Structures are given as C-alpha cells and as structure tokens.
Amino acid sequence: MSKKKNKIQKQYEAMPELFTNRELSWLDFNDRVLEEARDPENPLLERCNFLGITQSNVDEFFMVRVASLNKLAAAGIHTTDPSGLTPQEQVDAVNAKEHAAVERRYSTYNRSLLPLLEKQGICILKPEELDEKQTETIQRYFNDELYPVLTPMAEDSSRPFPFLQNNSLNLAIRLVDPEKDEHLFATLRVPDLFPRLVKVSGAPNTFVLLENIIRQFLGTLFHGYNVESASAYRLIRDMDLDVAEHDSSDLLRAVKDQLREREHGNVMRLEIESTMDGELCDHLIQTLRVSPSTVYRINGPIDLTFLKKLGGMVTGHDDLKYASYDSYRVPELTDRESNIFAAIREKDFLVQHPYDSFDAVVNFIRQASMDDDVLAIKMTLYRVSGNSPIIKYLGRAAQLGKQVTVLVEVKARFDEENNVKWAMQLEKMGCHVIYGLVGLKTHSKIALVIRHDDDGIRRYIHLGTGNYNDVTARFYTDMGLFTCNRDMGIDATNLFNMLSGFSRPPYFRELRISPNHIREFIYQKIDDEIAAALEGRTARIKMKMNSLSDSGVIAKLYEASSAGVKIQLIVRGICCLRNEVPDISDNIEVHSIVGRFLEHSRIYYFYADGAEETYLASADMMTRNLNRRVEILFPILQQDCKKRTQEIFEDMWRDNVKSRVLHHKDWVRIDRRGLALFDSQQNFIDQAGRLVEKRRKEQKAQKEEADVFQPMTKHEDELAGDE
C-alpha cells in the first residue's frame, strides 16, 4: 500500500502556483452562497435567508480560521502554506477580499432585496418612517419591555470601558453634559433576549430593527444629558477552542474551562455603522486596539443574520418560499409495525437525506432501545439537536438494562456546550460515556447494535456521512448505509474497542479508519488508476466532498491527471486544487453545487478495471480529517446500493442550474443556452415525491381491501352478541 509520497507527488507539492490558498478559497465559497441571494430565480424570502447565511458563515470563519492565523502571525511564524503565503499575508489577503465582499452583501441588501420586499408589502422600516399610531406602539414596547432590561455603561475614570461579549450588538454613544459642556462616552448592549426584528402591530409584515427602537428613545436612559450621536457596532472575537489535552481524565473539565475562557478572546473584526461619527469611531478603535484593516464600515444594519428569521415571521407569503416537499419514508425502516432488524438482515439499505426521511435512523435506535433481543448499543455522536430523540432512546435502552456506550465528541466546534450537556445527561441515564480521545476529534458517524438472533449474535450497523442530528438532516444532504455485513460488524466492534479501551486492531477488513489509514487507502486507489492509465486501460476517479485542501491528496490527483486518469470532482466549499494546468491538471474537472440544501455527503469512486468500487465517508480530503480525526470510509457492496450511489453522483454532475465549474482558479456558472435545465436537488425531491405518492396509493389500496366486508365466524358472532 502507498504509505509514502513518491517523487512526482513531492514535486507537485513544492509548486505553490498549483495551489489556491485555503482561506481565500473559502471566501470564494461564501461568494457562491451570496450568488444565491442575488439570483432572481430563487424565491425572495429564500434569497434573504441566503444573505443571512453568508453573514453567519463569515462570522464563524473569523472566529476560528482568521483567529488561528492571527495567533500564528503574532507568534512570529513565517512558514508558508502550499500556496506560498505566510500567516500574516493570509490575514491581510483575507481582510482585503472580505472588505469587497461586505460591499457586495450590503449592495444586495439595500439595492435589491429591500425594494423587492417592499413591493410585496414586507417592509423593514426605520422609526422615523412609521406613522403616529405605529410610533406609539413601538414606544410602548420600549417602555414596557426594553427599558427595564437595558443597562447603559458609562465610561469615565471610575468606570472603564466594559467587556463586550463576542458577537454582541452594541450602541456606541457620545453624550454632552450641558452643565459642564463636556463630551462623554457610553456603551449600551442591545439585548439578545428579544427578537431582532420587531413586528409593528396593525401592519402584518412591517418590522423595525430592535437597535433602531432603542436608539429612537435613547434619551430616556440619560436624563440630564444630551445624546449627540449613537451608532451600532459589533465585535467578532477569537473563539477557537484550545484545550491542552495531556490526558483524558479531566477532558470534560478542560472543555468547560475553555468555554468560559474563549469569551475573552482577542478581537478579530470590528464592524461599525458607516454613519458613525469620527470621534466615536476613533474612540472605539483606540479603546479596543484593533488595526485599521480589521475595521469594517457597514452601509446598513450590522449583522445580517436576522434575515434567516425573516421568512418565519412573514405571514401570507408562502409563494416567496421554497415549495414544501415530503421525504420518502422507506417502509421497512420507518413503519412502526415493521421489524427493522429483520429488514436489514434481508439486505442492505442506502438512504439519502433529506430526500429519504431521517426517521429511518431514529427508528433504528428506537427499536434497538425496546427490543428484548438487543444486548448492546454503541454509537458516536458529533453534533445532535437540542431536543434529540436519539438521546432519549439511548437513555431508555440503558434504563432497560442494555449496555449502552456513547462517544460524545465534546470538542465539536460550536457544539461543545450542547455536547457537554448531553454527555452528562447520558451518564445520568446509565450510559457509559466517552468524552472523545486525547489529541483527536472523533468525527466518524457510526451506530452499532448487537442483537441475539435465533441463530446467534448479529451486529447491525448504521454508517453515515453526516451527523445524528434530526434537525440539520432536513436541510443537509447526507447518505447512510444500514447493513449487517459480518466483516463490517467485526470492524465496527474493533473500532469501538479502540475508542473505549486500549486496543490497536492489526487491520480492518472493510472499513478504513483515520487517522492515516484513509489517506493510505486513497493514495493506493489513485495509484491503481494511474497504473491502469499508463497501461492504456480505462481509468476514472469521481469524488464528492465538502472540501479539498490536503496538499498530498491534491498532488496525487495531479499525478493521476498527468498520467491520463479522467477525474471528476464535486467540491461544495474549499478547493485548493487548480485545474486546467497544461500537462498537470487538464484531465480534472471540478464542479460545486450550492443550492437549497447544504451538500454534505462524501462519495469516493474508482473505476478499478470495471469493478467500479464505490465508497462513502465521514471524511473530506482535508489534512485535519485525514491526520487528526477519527473518521470512517466504508464500501458500498450490495449491487443495487452501489448503482444508486453512482446514479446520485451522475445526477449531481449533470446539474446545470445550481452547479458552478472551476476554470483554473475561478468559479463560473454553466452556460445553459440550448440545454435542458437540470437541478439535481429538485430532481431528488421529485424522485422522493413519486415514491411517496406510490406508497400512498399502495396504502390506500391495502386499506380498501381490509375494509371489504368479511363474514364473521361463529365465534366472532358470539363475541359481537356479548357486547
């Protein structure tokens, strides 16, 4: 197996001109999301949602990725990334590119979305635009609801500038003391206890932003002083969790401590209203000690994430949203009366969410929790919902005497607090809980059920590309496999022994596990295709993933391309590969799909001399996934499941509506002139709809057949008479 990089691979890795910077590529992805906000073919309220998503995306990006780069730069690190940039050069390039992106986002908001919303009777107004009655309404709201909660924070010799929480919205206020003719400063936090969009009574779809209501009546908080200026601002801090993992005995405590500490991280970004007066602006920059490049002047309301809530608050405009759809509920996996284990024993099941209902996964754990023949359940949890039914069923299983082992990854980014809570809750319910491994994140998605069947012990497994989260499963596309394949079951047992105890399995039969072994496996499969191409045989590679940034994998793909292997890549987000480089990457095509659902599934296909080996994985081709996480790559062996997986990839490759194509380092939409439109996500919705309708007809026919009059037997006749 290819464990070491060969000479050609090393040569390509040493050429920075062959790589796009990881962070700049991520910003390109966020621009593709922004394109969805600007696309007139999308429903209007969904366009607003996309714009809100671009904001939350970039906030997290600065909290983690830019924060990490800043720490490297501050430590004097001058080593370069594969594209040849130092940490400081990357920070400077990110800020330059993001300043331009901010202008595009607010141009979209001010010049496109607001006027279109207003035409539909959906208005986001300023207080001065309200009529007298509406003004009275918001003043009453201020007096009754907001005033008691607001706490103005003065700045003077005895009251220093207050600590400001990450992502909090604040008002910077300049006051004048008329008695002393003295200028003063104060800060007021806009409370996040209240909705950011406040509905104006009497106008069903008219809203005012919370900070503007507060600003309108700000004078009531400063009796005896004159408010000269008030402008909104927001800080984004370093929120990267940095746990010193010397041992796992108190990992939970270390994570809890870090959750408290990180709220005090350094400022990565300062957003201020473009109308803020110079004196206030200078005061904030000096007080917060931020560099000019990290100050973003905003032409509109700061923090556009409120737009993600707008669609749910608007009434009477379903036509401005995506049409609803029904996920297909696979009868053998979701019907309450069916035995899911008997079904899986018959054959493997491949599911694609959200087009196939996530209820199949929930029902797998539900039935396992209640089945008397189930002896044990073992599961990894990376991200779960706030009210997870899976947690409930795992607890029930433990209370019924089953052995339940759950690895809860308490270092899952921005889910740390939620996962700590669930880990403690599971322990209270009697589950054996592992809090993750020292130095590694467990990102694999696997559930193992050990059952005593009539013919002995059997292992039933669910393997997935996505999280066990019933909420995100409605808008993330993911794939999962239900199987009781013997070799996969043995591998799953060995994996959990490795996670929960001291065990180094010598090898795995069917599963490939990171760290390290997925990389080795991918290298070997690419080498096999290279060998075939060099011998004049057909050689193909197809991959779908969230991100492609590992320089070793990219260099190996360059090597394959230069050998004549035809390569198709679907990469939703970061892509550090550059295609169409003569003699190096001119056999590589790259697409990116950004649409209604967040593309999250990972598919890896190799022609393998006609065997067409097909794999799914929890891992992207990123260094962290391959080297620093526990990940699983698993084969699709059953022929019908393999065929469906390949068809799913082909349908996504055909997409010419939501797909962009990479040309060297630029992403462009497909020229659709003369082409029949094909939206892969809508195609999958339509396929699910046809299956749902077919199932309804079958159930109706079964019900009608059951309702046909049946003559009662003598015994039934006697029972009826007794009643």
Side-chain angles (χ1 to χ4, degrees):
M1 187 170 284
S2 297
K3 295 184 178 180
K4 296 181 179 178
K5 298 173 184 176
N6 60 31
K7 185 177 180 180
I8 298 174
Q9 192 178 1
K10 289 179 180 178
Q11 174 188 332
Y12 288 143
E13 279 194 88
M15 299 170 66
E17 66 272 19
L18 296 182
F19 296 88
T20 297
N21 173 260
R22 181 192 193 283
E23 319 310 335
L24 299 181
S25 179
W26 185 91
L27 289 172
D28 288 339
F29 158 67
N30 210 36
D31 279 347
R32 297 197 291 278
V33 180
L34 179 59
E35 285 179 4
E36 294 300 305
R38 299 165 73 98
D39 187 348
E41 294 182 7
N42 287 328
L44 180 56
L45 289 173
E46 304 297 346
R47 293 173 62 183
C48 294
N49 183 51
F50 277 116
L51 188 57
I53 290 171
T54 65
Q55 182 72 66
S56 55
N57 281 351
V58 83
D59 290 348
E60 184 175 327
F61 175 71
F62 269 77
M63 291 176 203
V64 178
R65 293 301 307 174
V66 178
S68 177
L69 288 172
N70 269 292
K71 282 185 277 198
L72 291 174
I77 304 298
H78 297 292
T79 54
T80 60
D81 76 320
S83 72
L85 298 178
T86 66
Q88 187 59 57
E89 287 171 336
Q90 291 180 67
V91 170
D92 294 342
V94 163
N95 276 309
K97 193 162 188 172
E98 175 57 13
H99 276 289
V102 165
E103 289 187 18
R104 289 195 299 275
R105 284 204 289 278
Y106 279 89
S107 171
T108 303
Y109 177 78
N110 291 314
R111 300 172 61 183
S112 180
L113 296 183
L114 279 186
L116 288 171
L117 287 168
E118 191 172 342
K119 285 182 181 178
Q120 297 292 335
I122 304 166
C123 302
I124 301 174
L125 301 179
K126 296 176 181 176
E128 56 268 26
E129 296 175 304
L130 301 177
D131 61 31
E132 187 176 345
K133 188 175 181 180
Q134 291 170 335
T135 302
E136 290 174 3
T137 301
I138 64 165
Q139 184 165 15
R140 194 178 309 116
Y141 179 72
F142 176 85
N143 292 334
D144 296 345
E145 303 287 337
L146 300 177
Y147 183 82
V149 176
L150 297 173
T151 305
M153 308 288 285
E155 294 178 55
D156 55 27
S157 57
S158 63
R159 293 170 291 189
F161 189 84
F163 173 77
L164 302 174
Q165 285 188 325
N166 172 64
N167 203 23
S168 61
L169 186 62
N170 304 273
L171 291 177
I173 306 158
R174 187 158 62 88
L175 304 155
V176 173
D177 182 346
E179 294 182 359
K180 301 179 180 179
D181 194 26
E182 182 181 18
H183 283 259
L184 304 166
F185 295 99
T187 283
L188 178 68
R189 178 172 176 177
V190 177
D192 51 15
L193 301 168
F194 301 93
R196 180 87 182 277
L197 283 169
V198 180
K199 222 170 203 183
V200 177
S201 63
N205 290 318
T206 298
F207 305 90
V208 181
L209 286 164
L210 183 64
E211 65 269 24
N212 288 337
I213 294 177
I214 295 170
R215 185 160 27 196
Q216 180 76 2
F217 305 108
L218 202 55
T220 60
L221 294 165
F222 297 97
H223 293 292
Y225 295 82
N226 297 329
V227 176
E228 282 212 338
S229 177
S231 294
Y233 70 101
R234 181 177 72 134
L235 305 180
I236 295 296
R237 293 186 178 275
D238 175 354
M239 296 293 283
D240 197 19
L241 196 70
D242 187 19
V243 180
E245 300 180 61
H246 303 300
D247 64 78
S248 59
S249 59
D250 56 357
L251 179 58
L252 192 65
R253 183 186 305 165
V255 170
K256 287 180 179 177
D257 291 343
Q258 273 293 306
L259 287 172
R260 287 189 289 268
E261 287 290 324
R262 76 176 182 184
E263 285 295 333
H264 294 264
N266 293 329
V267 177
M268 296 295 107
R269 175 183 179 119
L270 169 63
E271 295 175 335
I272 62 175
E273 287 182 322
S274 58
T275 54
M276 180 180 285
D277 71 44
E279 195 172 345
L280 265 182
C281 180
D282 292 343
H283 176 71
L284 278 179
I285 291 172
Q286 292 168 14
T287 304
L288 295 168
R289 298 176 184 174
V290 293
S291 66
S293 65
T294 63
V295 179
Y296 287 78
R297 288 171 170 79
I298 305 299
N299 181 27
I302 287 173
D303 184 4
L304 292 171
T305 56
F306 69 86
L307 290 171
K308 293 161 69 174
K309 304 282 188 183
L310 180 62
M313 298 181 73
V314 167
T315 57
H317 278 291
D318 289 345
D319 57 312
L320 302 182
K321 305 174 187 176
Y322 286 128
S324 61
Y325 70 96
D326 291 324
S327 296
Y328 178 58
R329 296 168 54 85
V330 182
E332 299 95 326
L333 302 180
T334 59
D335 287 358
R336 290 256 166 172
E337 62 275 11
S338 68
N339 184 325
I340 196 169
F341 302 109
I344 296 171
R345 183 163 174 159
E346 281 284 319
K347 63 173 185 174
D348 292 355
F349 288 86
L350 181 80
V351 289
Q352 185 191 20
H353 310 302
Y355 317 107
D356 295 322
S357 173
F358 190 74
D359 288 351
V361 179
V362 175
N363 192 44
F364 181 63
I365 305 302
R366 184 188 73 85
Q367 286 203 25
S369 72
M370 299 185 298
D371 190 323
D372 291 338
D373 293 324
V374 168
L375 306 176
I377 305 172
K378 302 183 181 186
M379 194 170 188
T380 60
L381 295 177
Y382 190 75
R383 300 186 198 275
V384 292
S385 65
N387 189 28
S388 172
I390 286 175
I391 297 287
K392 179 180 72 173
Y393 292 133
L394 291 171
R396 177 192 289 177
Q399 290 162 356
L400 290 174
K402 304 180 194 306
Q403 295 291 315
V404 180
T405 303
V406 188
L407 188 148
V408 181
E409 183 48 78
V410 294
K411 304 186 295 293
R413 183 160 288 145
F414 296 115
D415 273 296
E416 298 96 343
E417 194 168 352
N418 191 46
N419 285 6
V420 165
K421 180 193 79 171
W422 283 130
M424 297 174 70
Q425 181 65 29
L426 284 165
E427 278 194 332
K428 287 179 183 177
M429 292 189 291
C431 301
H432 175 60
V433 180
I434 309 162
Y435 299 117
L437 301 180
V438 176
L440 297 171
K441 281 187 182 179
T442 302
H443 190 246
S444 55
K445 283 78 178 176
I446 180 170
L448 170 64
V449 173
I450 296 92
R451 189 173 189 266
H452 196 293
D453 287 1
D454 292 339
D455 57 352
I457 298 295
R458 284 226 177 218
R459 300 174 178 91
Y460 295 86
I461 316 156
H462 173 265
L463 295 155
T465 67
N467 300 306
Y468 288 110
N469 187 316
D470 55 296
V471 174
T472 59
R474 297 171 196 161
F475 51 89
Y476 282 25
T477 73
D478 271 303
M479 299 174 71
L481 178 72
F482 293 92
T483 184
C484 65
N485 177 279
R486 183 178 180 276
D487 287 342
M488 286 195 201
I490 293 171
D491 286 350
T493 297
N494 288 335
L495 172 64
F496 278 105
N497 288 341
M498 185 181 79
L499 293 174
S500 63
F502 295 107
S503 176
R504 294 191 186 99
Y507 68 94
F508 286 88
R509 292 164 172 81
E510 294 289 355
L511 305 183
R512 298 294 179 269
I513 310 297
S514 274
N516 300 322
H517 296 300
I518 292 178
R519 179 189 294 280
E520 293 173 5
F521 184 75
I522 293 292
Y523 282 3
Q524 182 62 62
K525 290 299 173 185
I526 297 175
D527 277 341
D528 291 345
E529 297 300 317
I530 291 172
L534 292 175
E535 292 175 8
R537 305 195 309 273
T538 300
R540 294 194 198 110
I541 296 170
K542 301 176 184 181
M543 296 181 174
K544 177 184 184 288
M545 65 200 89
N546 297 333
S547 296
L548 173 61
S549 62
D550 183 81
S551 59
V553 173
I554 292 171
K556 180 61 76 174
L557 290 172
Y558 286 152
E559 183 185 350
S561 171
S562 62
V565 180
K566 298 298 182 183
I567 302 170
Q568 295 176 331
L569 305 176
I570 301 175
V571 186
R572 184 200 78 214
I574 299 165
C575 182
C576 298
L577 177 148
R578 293 185 177 184
N579 66 346
E580 300 177 354
V581 179
D583 301 322
I584 294 178
S585 62
D586 39 11
N587 280 313
I588 302 176
E589 294 180 78
V590 190
H591 292 189
S592 177
I593 297 173
V594 178
R596 175 175 183 172
F597 304 118
L598 184 139
E599 288 293 340
H600 198 249
S601 51
R602 289 95 168 186
I603 302 171
Y604 301 100
Y605 163 98
F606 305 92
Y607 184 71
D609 284 326
E612 297 194 284
E613 295 178 1
T614 305
Y615 303 86
L616 302 181
S618 61
D620 293 311
M621 294 297 104
M622 304 179 74
T623 304
R624 70 183 188 195
N625 296 90
L626 301 176
N627 292 3
R628 300 190 298 275
R629 290 188 173 187
V630 179
E631 305 271 15
I632 299 178
L633 179 144
F634 54 96
I636 304 300
L637 299 174
Q638 189 172 281
Q639 197 57 40
D640 62 334
C641 294
K642 181 191 287 191
K643 181 182 177 186
R644 186 182 177 204
T645 303
Q646 293 168 4
E647 287 173 347
I648 286 170
F649 184 96
E650 293 306 320
D651 281 347
M652 289 186 288
W653 190 257
R654 286 174 56 203
D655 192 307
N656 57 22
V657 174
K658 295 301 178 185
S659 191
R660 284 80 168 170
V661 178
L662 182 65
H663 289 297
H664 188 51
K665 61 178 180 177
D666 299 317
W667 294 94
V668 298
R669 284 189 178 271
I670 294 173
D671 184 352
R672 302 186 308 207
R673 286 176 295 182
L675 298 177
L677 300 186
F678 187 79
D679 180 335
S680 59
Q681 293 187 350
Q682 187 59 50
N683 172 63
F684 295 134
I685 289 174
D686 294 341
Q687 288 178 357
R690 288 191 289 272
L691 289 171
V692 169
E693 186 57 33
K694 180 182 176 184
R695 177 68 174 153
R696 282 177 183 155
K697 288 178 179 177
E698 290 172 348
Q699 289 175 323
K700 183 180 179 183
Q702 290 168 0
K703 184 176 185 304
E704 288 172 350
E705 186 177 341
D707 288 343
V708 172
F709 173 74
Q710 298 286 338
M712 287 191 293
T713 64
K714 182 175 184 297
H715 177 66
E716 290 171 335
D717 189 51
E718 288 170 354
L719 288 175
D722 288 341
E723 292 176 357

